[in-house]
Amino acid sequence: MRIIFRRTLREFWESHPDAEQALLARYADVKQARWRSPSDIKSVYRHASFLANNRVVFNIKGNAYRLVAAIQYEFGIVYIRFAGAHEEYDWIDAAKI
């Protein structure tokens, strides 16, 4: 998959260093993936949540953090839309960001 907005991840781990390794590992996994549907994601990340507008919510570092991505399956693109603490996630509309 092609990942857009890696900068969002970098900016987040710069302010939350304990999340860096988990985010880098997820980044490497996703870059190697070839997702064609939500079921492809679910087979690897069983705790991923699927929302409207092709948004997927991933739990990071034991659910301490959340990562929201918009996925265009037909083009193999993952857009990083949000990385934040679980509490910050509660304040956003993940289906619209």
Side-chain angles (χ1 to χ4, degrees):
M1 303 296 288
R2 183 171 172 220
I3 303 170
I4 309 294
F5 301 127
R6 183 176 187 265
R7 180 185 69 194
T8 302
L9 299 179
R10 188 185 70 245
E11 289 172 353
F12 183 73
W13 78 55
E14 286 174 352
S15 62
H16 298 83
D18 64 319
E20 181 176 5
Q21 289 306 314
L23 289 171
L24 286 172
R26 183 66 47 98
Y27 180 86
D29 288 347
V30 172
K31 194 162 182 67
Q32 296 301 315
R34 296 292 174 251
W35 296 330
R36 298 193 193 319
S37 70
S39 64
D40 292 340
I41 297 171
K42 200 66 164 175
S43 70
V44 177
Y45 301 107
R46 65 185 182 123
H47 294 292
S49 300
F50 299 90
L51 307 175
N53 300 319
N54 288 327
R55 299 302 197 266
V56 181
V57 181
F58 296 97
N59 297 326
I60 303 295
K61 199 171 183 288
N63 205 20
Y65 303 112
R66 294 278 179 100
L67 176 68
V68 178
I71 308 208
Q72 288 190 334
Y73 298 99
E74 62 275 13
F75 300 112
I77 299 174
V78 176
Y79 295 93
I80 305 299
R81 305 299 296 156
F82 170 84
H86 194 111
E87 299 80 28
E88 295 169 321
Y89 172 82
D90 293 338
W91 291 96
I92 66 166
D93 184 349
K96 292 184 180 178
I97 62 166

